Amino acid sequence: MSPDVLEAAARALAGARRVVVVSGSGISAESGVPTFRDKDGIWSTVRIEDVATPEALRRNPRKVWEFYEGRRRNMQAVQPNPGHHAIAEMEAVFGEVVTITQNIDGLHQRAGSTQVLELHGSLWKARCLDDCGATRDPFPVPAAELPPPCECGGVLRPSVVLFGELLPPGAMEQAAQDAAECDVCLVVGTSGAVWPAAGIPLVAKKAGRITIEVNPADTEISADLDLLLRGGSGEVLPALLHRTCELRT
Ligand code: APR
């Protein structure tokens, strides 16, 4: 991580009141949660068309559930890491911190973040596959049966956004508004490959906000962002928060 870029990012944050964090699977990597598109990422071991599309869910709900149930079980032993904790601690430093996440693991909330917008749903919730209105929140792990039965006589589905599905109603509008109104937008651990989430930092940039990427590697949106902090978020975010607090005192 370049000390000069860290200093520039800390200076930007030191003057901020409203901070938006846009996070992706990379922030949970240091908790032991695999990312999707890195080497050995989830999509290198399983095909999206088999487990993460509405067509796959209709064709074989049990197979889709087995994929998500496996992730739910693996995730039970996982803890938030210093990157999640640094973001949660920001709420005590800035007037407002909104965390807009593509992650479905719930680790931001477990670290203590209170304003979390889950763009892609949650691993810990289920709802009726046929939209009878039934929801299970939380949906206990392990599920007794796959696919789990719904009270309407149908089956439940994981309450996550599959490829080709719309985001939860109002989520994108809220995210775009938060991004346009923030002072600084931190973009952490996302490849910027999946839309519309990848567009949120660009809304902030277009509105003249300072955009800072925290990622060990270049991403599809790096070229559009202002400051690129290269490193793992578990190391970079605590260092960035520490220096920001020094500058604010
Ligand atoms: N700290 C920060 N970033 C990291 C770390 C780390 N320790 N390790 C890896 N990364 C970065 C990678 O460099 C990469 O840019 O995390 C990013 C992970 O990218 P993806 O695997 O594409 O994950 P994400 O951007 O969250 O994917 C978006 O795709 O399949 C879907 O629905 C899924 O929400 C997910 C969406």
CSV table of all heavy atoms in Angstrom, one decimal, residues 134-196:
chain,number,residue,atom,x,y,z
A,134,ALA,N,-44.8,-15.6,2.1
A,134,ALA,CA,-44.2,-16.2,3.3
A,134,ALA,C,-42.7,-15.8,3.3
A,134,ALA,O,-42.0,-15.9,2.2
A,134,ALA,CB,-44.3,-17.7,3.3
A,135,THR,N,-42.2,-15.4,4.4
A,135,THR,CA,-40.7,-15.2,4.5
A,135,THR,C,-40.2,-15.8,5.8
A,135,THR,O,-41.0,-16.0,6.8
A,135,THR,CB,-40.4,-13.7,4.6
A,135,THR,OG1,-41.1,-13.1,5.7
A,135,THR,CG2,-40.7,-13.0,3.3
A,136,ARG,N,-39.0,-16.3,5.9
A,136,ARG,CA,-38.4,-16.8,7.1
A,136,ARG,C,-37.1,-16.0,7.4
A,136,ARG,O,-36.2,-16.1,6.6
A,136,ARG,CB,-38.1,-18.3,6.9
A,136,ARG,CG,-39.3,-19.2,6.6
A,136,ARG,CD,-40.1,-19.5,7.9
A,136,ARG,NE,-39.3,-20.2,8.9
A,136,ARG,CZ,-39.1,-21.5,8.9
A,136,ARG,NH1,-39.6,-22.2,8.0
A,136,ARG,NH2,-38.4,-22.0,9.8
A,137,ASP,N,-37.1,-15.3,8.4
A,137,ASP,CA,-36.0,-14.4,8.8
A,137,ASP,C,-35.8,-14.4,10.3
A,137,ASP,O,-36.6,-13.8,11.0
A,137,ASP,CB,-36.3,-13.0,8.3
A,137,ASP,CG,-35.2,-12.0,8.6
A,137,ASP,OD1,-34.1,-12.5,9.0
A,137,ASP,OD2,-35.4,-10.8,8.5
A,138,PRO,N,-34.8,-15.1,10.8
A,138,PRO,CA,-33.8,-15.9,10.0
A,138,PRO,C,-34.3,-17.2,9.7
A,138,PRO,O,-35.2,-17.7,10.3
A,138,PRO,CB,-32.6,-16.0,11.0
A,138,PRO,CG,-33.3,-16.0,12.4
A,138,PRO,CD,-34.5,-15.1,12.2
A,139,PHE,N,-33.7,-17.8,8.6
A,139,PHE,CA,-34.1,-19.2,8.2
A,139,PHE,C,-33.0,-20.1,8.8
A,139,PHE,O,-31.8,-19.9,8.5
A,139,PHE,CB,-34.1,-19.3,6.7
A,139,PHE,CG,-34.5,-20.7,6.3
A,139,PHE,CD1,-35.7,-21.3,6.7
A,139,PHE,CD2,-33.6,-21.5,5.5
A,139,PHE,CE1,-36.0,-22.6,6.3
A,139,PHE,CE2,-34.0,-22.7,5.2
A,139,PHE,CZ,-35.2,-23.3,5.6
A,140,PRO,N,-33.3,-21.0,9.8
A,140,PRO,CA,-32.3,-21.6,10.6
A,140,PRO,C,-31.4,-22.6,9.7
A,140,PRO,O,-31.9,-23.2,8.8
A,140,PRO,CB,-33.1,-22.4,11.6
A,140,PRO,CG,-34.5,-22.4,11.2
A,140,PRO,CD,-34.7,-21.3,10.2
A,141,VAL,N,-30.2,-22.7,10.2
A,141,VAL,CA,-29.2,-23.6,9.6
A,141,VAL,C,-29.0,-24.7,10.6
A,141,VAL,O,-28.8,-24.4,11.8
A,141,VAL,CB,-27.8,-22.9,9.4
A,141,VAL,CG1,-26.9,-23.8,8.6
A,141,VAL,CG2,-28.0,-21.6,8.7
A,142,PRO,N,-29.0,-26.0,10.2
A,142,PRO,CA,-29.2,-26.5,8.9
A,142,PRO,C,-30.7,-26.5,8.6
A,142,PRO,O,-31.5,-26.7,9.6
A,142,PRO,CB,-28.6,-27.9,8.9
A,142,PRO,CG,-28.8,-28.3,10.4
A,142,PRO,CD,-28.6,-27.1,11.2
A,143,ALA,N,-31.1,-26.5,7.4
A,143,ALA,CA,-32.5,-26.7,7.0
A,143,ALA,C,-32.8,-28.1,7.2
A,143,ALA,O,-32.0,-29.0,6.9
A,143,ALA,CB,-32.6,-26.3,5.5
A,144,ALA,N,-34.0,-28.4,7.7
A,144,ALA,CA,-34.4,-29.8,8.0
A,144,ALA,C,-34.6,-30.6,6.7
A,144,ALA,O,-34.4,-31.8,6.7
A,144,ALA,CB,-35.7,-29.8,8.8
A,145,GLU,N,-35.0,-29.9,5.6
A,145,GLU,CA,-35.3,-30.6,4.4
A,145,GLU,C,-35.0,-29.7,3.2
A,145,GLU,O,-35.1,-28.4,3.3
A,145,GLU,CB,-36.9,-30.8,4.4
A,145,GLU,CG,-37.4,-31.8,3.5
A,145,GLU,CD,-39.0,-31.8,3.6
A,145,GLU,OE1,-39.5,-31.5,4.7
A,145,GLU,OE2,-39.6,-32.0,2.6
A,146,LEU,N,-34.5,-30.2,2.1
A,146,LEU,CA,-34.2,-29.4,0.9
A,146,LEU,C,-34.9,-30.0,-0.3
A,146,LEU,O,-34.8,-31.2,-0.6
A,146,LEU,CB,-32.7,-29.5,0.6
A,146,LEU,CG,-31.8,-28.8,1.7
A,146,LEU,CD1,-30.3,-28.9,1.2
A,146,LEU,CD2,-32.1,-27.4,1.9
A,147,PRO,N,-35.7,-29.1,-1.0
A,147,PRO,CA,-36.0,-27.7,-0.7
A,147,PRO,C,-36.9,-27.7,0.5
A,147,PRO,O,-37.8,-28.5,0.6
A,147,PRO,CB,-36.6,-27.2,-2.0
A,147,PRO,CG,-37.2,-28.4,-2.6
A,147,PRO,CD,-36.3,-29.6,-2.3
A,148,PRO,N,-36.8,-26.6,1.3
A,148,PRO,CA,-37.6,-26.5,2.5
A,148,PRO,C,-39.1,-26.3,2.1
A,148,PRO,O,-39.3,-25.5,1.1
A,148,PRO,CB,-37.1,-25.3,3.2
A,148,PRO,CG,-35.8,-24.9,2.6
A,148,PRO,CD,-35.8,-25.5,1.2
A,149,PRO,N,-40.1,-26.9,2.7
A,149,PRO,CA,-41.5,-26.7,2.4
A,149,PRO,C,-41.9,-25.3,2.8
A,149,PRO,O,-41.5,-24.7,3.8
A,149,PRO,CB,-42.2,-27.7,3.2
A,149,PRO,CG,-41.3,-28.1,4.3
A,149,PRO,CD,-39.9,-27.8,3.8
A,150,CYS,N,-42.8,-24.7,2.0
A,150,CYS,CA,-43.5,-23.4,2.4
A,150,CYS,C,-44.9,-23.8,3.0
A,150,CYS,O,-45.5,-24.8,2.6
A,150,CYS,CB,-43.6,-22.5,1.2
A,150,CYS,SG,-44.4,-20.9,1.6
A,151,GLU,N,-45.4,-22.9,3.8
A,151,GLU,CA,-46.7,-23.1,4.4
A,151,GLU,C,-47.8,-23.1,3.4
A,151,GLU,O,-48.9,-23.7,3.6
A,151,GLU,CB,-46.9,-22.0,5.5
A,151,GLU,CG,-47.0,-20.6,4.9
A,151,GLU,CD,-46.6,-19.6,6.0
A,151,GLU,OE1,-45.9,-19.9,7.0
A,151,GLU,OE2,-47.1,-18.4,5.8
A,152,CYS,N,-47.6,-22.6,2.2
A,152,CYS,CA,-48.6,-22.6,1.2
A,152,CYS,C,-48.7,-23.9,0.4
A,152,CYS,O,-49.5,-24.0,-0.5
A,152,CYS,CB,-48.4,-21.4,0.2
A,152,CYS,SG,-47.0,-21.7,-0.9
A,153,GLY,N,-47.8,-24.8,0.7
A,153,GLY,CA,-47.8,-26.1,0.0
A,153,GLY,C,-46.7,-26.2,-1.0
A,153,GLY,O,-46.4,-27.2,-1.6
A,154,GLY,N,-46.1,-25.0,-1.3
A,154,GLY,CA,-45.0,-25.0,-2.3
A,154,GLY,C,-43.7,-25.1,-1.6
A,154,GLY,O,-43.6,-25.8,-0.5
A,155,VAL,N,-42.6,-24.5,-2.1
A,155,VAL,CA,-41.3,-24.6,-1.4
A,155,VAL,C,-40.8,-23.2,-1.2
A,155,VAL,O,-41.2,-22.3,-1.9
A,155,VAL,CB,-40.3,-25.5,-2.2
A,155,VAL,CG1,-40.8,-26.9,-2.3
A,155,VAL,CG2,-40.1,-24.9,-3.6
A,156,LEU,N,-39.8,-23.2,-0.3
A,156,LEU,CA,-39.1,-21.9,-0.1
A,156,LEU,C,-37.9,-21.8,-1.0
A,156,LEU,O,-37.4,-22.8,-1.5
A,156,LEU,CB,-38.6,-21.8,1.3
A,156,LEU,CG,-39.7,-21.8,2.4
A,156,LEU,CD1,-39.0,-21.8,3.8
A,156,LEU,CD2,-40.5,-20.5,2.3
A,157,ARG,N,-37.4,-20.6,-1.2
A,157,ARG,CA,-36.1,-20.4,-2.0
A,157,ARG,C,-35.2,-19.5,-1.1
A,157,ARG,O,-35.7,-18.8,-0.2
A,157,ARG,CB,-36.4,-19.6,-3.3
A,157,ARG,CG,-37.1,-18.3,-3.1
A,157,ARG,CD,-37.0,-17.4,-4.4
A,157,ARG,NE,-35.7,-16.9,-4.5
A,157,ARG,CZ,-35.3,-16.1,-5.6
A,157,ARG,NH1,-36.2,-15.9,-6.6
A,157,ARG,NH2,-34.1,-15.7,-5.7
A,158,PRO,N,-33.9,-19.5,-1.4
A,158,PRO,CA,-33.0,-18.6,-0.7
A,158,PRO,C,-33.4,-17.2,-1.0
A,158,PRO,O,-33.7,-16.9,-2.2
A,158,PRO,CB,-31.6,-19.0,-1.2
A,158,PRO,CG,-31.8,-20.3,-1.8
A,158,PRO,CD,-33.2,-20.4,-2.3
A,159,SER,N,-33.4,-16.3,-0.1
A,159,SER,CA,-33.8,-14.9,-0.3
A,159,SER,C,-32.5,-14.1,-0.8
A,159,SER,O,-32.0,-13.2,-0.2
A,159,SER,CB,-34.4,-14.3,0.9
A,159,SER,OG,-35.1,-13.1,0.5
A,160,VAL,N,-32.0,-14.5,-2.0
A,160,VAL,CA,-30.8,-13.9,-2.6
A,160,VAL,C,-31.2,-13.5,-4.0
A,160,VAL,O,-32.1,-14.1,-4.6
A,160,VAL,CB,-29.6,-14.9,-2.6
A,160,VAL,CG1,-29.2,-15.2,-1.2
A,160,VAL,CG2,-29.9,-16.1,-3.4
A,161,VAL,N,-30.4,-12.6,-4.5
A,161,VAL,CA,-30.7,-12.2,-5.9
A,161,VAL,C,-29.9,-13.1,-6.8
A,161,VAL,O,-28.6,-13.1,-6.7
A,161,VAL,CB,-30.3,-10.7,-6.1
A,161,VAL,CG1,-30.4,-10.3,-7.6
A,161,VAL,CG2,-31.1,-9.8,-5.2
A,162,LEU,N,-30.6,-13.8,-7.7
A,162,LEU,CA,-29.9,-14.7,-8.7
A,162,LEU,C,-29.6,-13.9,-9.9
A,162,LEU,O,-30.1,-12.8,-10.2
A,162,LEU,CB,-30.8,-15.9,-9.0
A,162,LEU,CG,-31.2,-16.7,-7.8
A,162,LEU,CD1,-32.3,-17.7,-8.1
A,162,LEU,CD2,-30.0,-17.4,-7.2
A,163,PHE,N,-28.6,-14.4,-10.7
A,163,PHE,CA,-28.3,-13.7,-12.0
A,163,PHE,C,-29.5,-13.6,-12.9
A,163,PHE,O,-30.3,-14.5,-13.1
A,163,PHE,CB,-27.2,-14.5,-12.7
A,163,PHE,CG,-25.8,-14.3,-12.2
A,163,PHE,CD1,-25.4,-15.0,-11.2
A,163,PHE,CD2,-25.1,-13.3,-12.7
A,163,PHE,CE1,-24.1,-14.8,-10.6
A,163,PHE,CE2,-23.8,-13.0,-12.2
A,163,PHE,CZ,-23.3,-13.8,-11.1
A,164,GLY,N,-29.7,-12.3,-13.3
A,164,GLY,CA,-30.9,-12.1,-14.2
A,164,GLY,C,-32.1,-11.6,-13.4
A,164,GLY,O,-33.1,-11.2,-14.0
A,165,GLU,N,-32.0,-11.6,-12.1
A,165,GLU,CA,-33.2,-11.1,-11.3
A,165,GLU,C,-32.9,-9.6,-10.9
A,165,GLU,O,-31.8,-9.1,-10.9
A,165,GLU,CB,-33.3,-11.9,-10.0
A,165,GLU,CG,-33.8,-13.4,-10.2
A,165,GLU,CD,-34.1,-14.1,-9.0
A,165,GLU,OE1,-33.3,-14.0,-8.0
A,165,GLU,OE2,-35.1,-14.8,-9.0
A,166,LEU,N,-34.1,-9.0,-10.6
A,166,LEU,CA,-34.0,-7.6,-10.2
A,166,LEU,C,-33.5,-7.5,-8.8
A,166,LEU,O,-33.7,-8.4,-8.0
A,166,LEU,CB,-35.4,-7.0,-10.3
A,166,LEU,CG,-36.0,-6.9,-11.7
A,166,LEU,CD1,-37.4,-6.3,-11.6
A,166,LEU,CD2,-35.2,-5.9,-12.5
A,167,LEU,N,-32.9,-6.4,-8.4
A,167,LEU,CA,-32.5,-6.1,-7.0
A,167,LEU,C,-33.8,-5.9,-6.2
A,167,LEU,O,-34.8,-5.6,-6.8
A,167,LEU,CB,-31.6,-4.9,-6.9
A,167,LEU,CG,-30.3,-5.0,-7.7
A,167,LEU,CD1,-29.4,-3.8,-7.3
A,167,LEU,CD2,-29.5,-6.3,-7.5
A,168,PRO,N,-33.7,-6.0,-4.9
A,168,PRO,CA,-34.9,-5.8,-4.0
A,168,PRO,C,-35.5,-4.4,-4.4
A,168,PRO,O,-34.7,-3.4,-4.7
A,168,PRO,CB,-34.3,-5.8,-2.6
A,168,PRO,CG,-33.1,-6.6,-2.7
A,168,PRO,CD,-32.5,-6.4,-4.1
A,169,PRO,N,-36.8,-4.2,-4.3
A,169,PRO,CA,-37.4,-3.0,-4.7
A,169,PRO,C,-36.8,-1.8,-4.0
A,169,PRO,O,-36.7,-1.8,-2.7
A,169,PRO,CB,-38.9,-3.2,-4.3
A,169,PRO,CG,-39.1,-4.6,-4.2
A,169,PRO,CD,-37.7,-5.2,-3.8
A,170,GLY,N,-36.5,-0.8,-4.7
A,170,GLY,CA,-36.0,0.5,-4.1
A,170,GLY,C,-34.5,0.4,-3.7
A,170,GLY,O,-33.9,1.5,-3.4
A,171,ALA,N,-33.9,-0.7,-3.8
A,171,ALA,CA,-32.5,-0.8,-3.3
A,171,ALA,C,-31.5,0.0,-4.1
A,171,ALA,O,-30.7,0.7,-3.6
A,171,ALA,CB,-32.0,-2.3,-3.2
A,172,MET,N,-31.7,-0.1,-5.4
A,172,MET,CA,-30.7,0.6,-6.3
A,172,MET,C,-30.9,2.1,-6.2
A,172,MET,O,-30.0,2.9,-6.2
A,172,MET,CB,-30.9,0.1,-7.7
A,172,MET,CG,-29.8,0.4,-8.7
A,172,MET,SD,-28.2,-0.1,-8.1
A,172,MET,CE,-27.2,1.1,-9.0
A,173,GLU,N,-32.2,2.5,-6.1
A,173,GLU,CA,-32.5,3.9,-6.0
A,173,GLU,C,-31.9,4.5,-4.7
A,173,GLU,O,-31.3,5.6,-4.7
A,173,GLU,CB,-34.0,4.2,-6.0
A,173,GLU,CG,-34.7,3.8,-7.3
A,173,GLU,CD,-34.9,2.3,-7.6
A,173,GLU,OE1,-34.6,1.5,-6.7
A,173,GLU,OE2,-35.3,2.0,-8.7
A,174,GLN,N,-32.1,3.8,-3.6
A,174,GLN,CA,-31.5,4.2,-2.4
A,174,GLN,C,-30.0,4.3,-2.4
A,174,GLN,O,-29.4,5.3,-2.0
A,174,GLN,CB,-32.0,3.2,-1.2
A,174,GLN,CG,-31.5,3.7,0.1
A,174,GLN,CD,-32.2,5.0,0.6
A,174,GLN,OE1,-33.4,5.1,0.5
A,174,GLN,NE2,-31.3,6.0,0.9
A,175,ALA,N,-29.4,3.3,-3.0
A,175,ALA,CA,-27.9,3.2,-3.1
A,175,ALA,C,-27.4,4.4,-4.0
A,175,ALA,O,-26.4,5.0,-3.6
A,175,ALA,CB,-27.5,1.9,-3.7
A,176,ALA,N,-28.1,4.7,-5.1
A,176,ALA,CA,-27.6,5.7,-5.9
A,176,ALA,C,-27.8,7.1,-5.2
A,176,ALA,O,-26.9,8.0,-5.3
A,176,ALA,CB,-28.5,5.7,-7.2
A,177,GLN,N,-28.9,7.2,-4.5
A,177,GLN,CA,-29.0,8.5,-3.7
A,177,GLN,C,-27.9,8.7,-2.7
A,177,GLN,O,-27.3,9.7,-2.5
A,177,GLN,CB,-30.4,8.5,-3.1
A,177,GLN,CG,-30.7,9.9,-2.4
A,177,GLN,CD,-32.1,9.9,-1.7
A,177,GLN,OE1,-33.0,9.1,-2.1
A,177,GLN,NE2,-32.2,10.7,-0.8
A,178,ASP,N,-27.7,7.6,-1.9
A,178,ASP,CA,-26.6,7.6,-0.9
A,178,ASP,C,-25.3,8.0,-1.6
A,178,ASP,O,-24.5,8.8,-1.0
A,178,ASP,CB,-26.5,6.3,-0.2
A,178,ASP,CG,-27.7,6.1,0.7
A,178,ASP,OD1,-28.3,7.0,1.2
A,178,ASP,OD2,-28.0,4.9,1.0
A,179,ALA,N,-25.0,7.4,-2.7
A,179,ALA,CA,-23.7,7.6,-3.4
A,179,ALA,C,-23.6,9.0,-3.9
A,179,ALA,O,-22.5,9.6,-3.8
A,179,ALA,CB,-23.5,6.6,-4.5
A,180,ALA,N,-24.7,9.5,-4.4
A,180,ALA,CA,-24.7,10.9,-4.9
A,180,ALA,C,-24.5,11.9,-3.8
A,180,ALA,O,-24.0,13.0,-4.0
A,180,ALA,CB,-25.9,11.2,-5.7
A,181,GLU,N,-25.0,11.6,-2.6
A,181,GLU,CA,-25.0,12.6,-1.5
A,181,GLU,C,-23.8,12.4,-0.5
A,181,GLU,O,-23.7,13.2,0.4
A,181,GLU,CB,-26.3,12.5,-0.7
A,181,GLU,CG,-27.5,13.0,-1.6
A,181,GLU,CD,-28.8,12.8,-0.9
A,181,GLU,OE1,-28.9,12.2,0.2
A,181,GLU,OE2,-29.8,13.3,-1.5
A,182,CYS,N,-23.0,11.4,-0.7
A,182,CYS,CA,-21.9,11.2,0.3
A,182,CYS,C,-20.8,12.2,0.0
A,182,CYS,O,-20.8,12.9,-1.0
A,182,CYS,CB,-21.4,9.8,0.2
A,182,CYS,SG,-20.4,9.5,-1.3
A,183,ASP,N,-19.8,12.3,0.9
A,183,ASP,CA,-18.6,13.1,0.7
A,183,ASP,C,-17.5,12.2,0.1
A,183,ASP,O,-16.7,12.6,-0.7
A,183,ASP,CB,-18.1,13.7,2.0
A,183,ASP,CG,-19.2,14.7,2.6
A,183,ASP,OD1,-19.6,15.6,1.8
A,183,ASP,OD2,-19.6,14.5,3.7
A,184,VAL,N,-17.4,11.0,0.7
A,184,VAL,CA,-16.4,10.0,0.2
A,184,VAL,C,-17.1,8.7,0.0
A,184,VAL,O,-17.9,8.2,0.8
A,184,VAL,CB,-15.2,9.9,1.2
A,184,VAL,CG1,-14.3,8.8,0.8
A,184,VAL,CG2,-14.5,11.2,1.4
A,185,CYS,N,-16.7,8.0,-1.1
A,185,CYS,CA,-17.2,6.7,-1.4
A,185,CYS,C,-16.0,5.7,-1.4
A,185,CYS,O,-15.1,5.8,-2.2
A,185,CYS,CB,-17.9,6.7,-2.7
A,185,CYS,SG,-18.5,5.0,-3.2
A,186,LEU,N,-16.0,4.8,-0.4
A,186,LEU,CA,-15.0,3.7,-0.3
A,186,LEU,C,-15.5,2.5,-1.1
A,186,LEU,O,-16.6,2.0,-0.8
A,186,LEU,CB,-14.8,3.4,1.1
A,186,LEU,CG,-13.9,4.3,2.0
A,186,LEU,CD1,-14.0,3.9,3.4
A,186,LEU,CD2,-12.5,4.2,1.6
A,187,VAL,N,-14.7,2.0,-2.0
A,187,VAL,CA,-15.1,0.8,-2.8
A,187,VAL,C,-14.2,-0.3,-2.4
A,187,VAL,O,-13.0,-0.3,-2.7
A,187,VAL,CB,-15.0,1.1,-4.3
A,187,VAL,CG1,-15.6,0.0,-5.1
A,187,VAL,CG2,-15.6,2.5,-4.6
A,188,VAL,N,-14.7,-1.3,-1.7
A,188,VAL,CA,-13.9,-2.3,-1.0
A,188,VAL,C,-14.2,-3.7,-1.5
A,188,VAL,O,-15.3,-4.2,-1.4
A,188,VAL,CB,-14.1,-2.3,0.5
A,188,VAL,CG1,-13.1,-3.2,1.2
A,188,VAL,CG2,-14.0,-0.9,1.0
A,189,GLY,N,-13.2,-4.4,-2.1
A,189,GLY,CA,-13.3,-5.8,-2.3
A,189,GLY,C,-14.3,-6.2,-3.3
A,189,GLY,O,-14.9,-7.3,-3.2
A,190,THR,N,-14.4,-5.4,-4.4
A,190,THR,CA,-15.3,-5.9,-5.5
A,190,THR,C,-14.6,-5.7,-6.8
A,190,THR,O,-13.9,-4.7,-7.0
A,190,THR,CB,-16.7,-5.1,-5.5
A,190,THR,OG1,-17.4,-5.6,-6.6
A,190,THR,CG2,-16.5,-3.6,-5.5
A,191,SER,N,-14.8,-6.7,-7.7
A,191,SER,CA,-14.2,-6.6,-9.0
A,191,SER,C,-14.9,-5.6,-9.9
A,191,SER,O,-14.4,-5.3,-11.0
A,191,SER,CB,-14.2,-8.0,-9.6
A,191,SER,OG,-15.6,-8.4,-9.8
A,192,GLY,N,-16.1,-5.2,-9.5
A,192,GLY,CA,-16.8,-4.2,-10.4
A,192,GLY,C,-17.3,-4.9,-11.7
A,192,GLY,O,-17.6,-4.3,-12.7
A,193,ALA,N,-17.5,-6.2,-11.6
A,193,ALA,CA,-17.9,-7.0,-12.8
A,193,ALA,C,-19.4,-7.2,-12.9
A,193,ALA,O,-19.9,-7.5,-13.9
A,193,ALA,CB,-17.3,-8.4,-12.8
A,194,VAL,N,-20.1,-6.9,-11.8
A,194,VAL,CA,-21.6,-7.2,-11.8
A,194,VAL,C,-22.4,-5.9,-11.6
A,194,VAL,O,-22.2,-5.1,-10.7
A,194,VAL,CB,-21.9,-8.2,-10.6
A,194,VAL,CG1,-23.4,-8.4,-10.5
A,194,VAL,CG2,-21.3,-9.6,-10.9
A,195,TRP,N,-23.3,-5.8,-12.6
A,195,TRP,CA,-24.1,-4.6,-12.6
A,195,TRP,C,-25.5,-4.9,-12.1
A,195,TRP,O,-25.9,-6.1,-12.2
A,195,TRP,CB,-24.2,-4.1,-14.0
A,195,TRP,CG,-22.9,-3.4,-14.4
A,195,TRP,CD1,-21.7,-4.1,-14.8
A,195,TRP,CD2,-22.6,-2.0,-14.5
A,195,TRP,NE1,-20.7,-3.2,-15.0
A,195,TRP,CE2,-21.2,-2.0,-14.8
A,195,TRP,CE3,-23.3,-0.9,-14.2
A,195,TRP,CZ2,-20.6,-0.7,-15.0
A,195,TRP,CZ3,-22.6,0.3,-14.3
A,195,TRP,CH2,-21.3,0.4,-14.7
A,196,PRO,N,-26.3,-4.0,-11.5
A,196,PRO,CA,-26.0,-2.6,-11.5
A,196,PRO,C,-25.1,-2.2,-10.3
A,196,PRO,O,-24.7,-1.0,-10.2
A,196,PRO,CB,-27.4,-2.0,-11.3
A,196,PRO,CG,-28.2,-3.0,-10.6
A,196,PRO,CD,-27.6,-4.3,-11.1
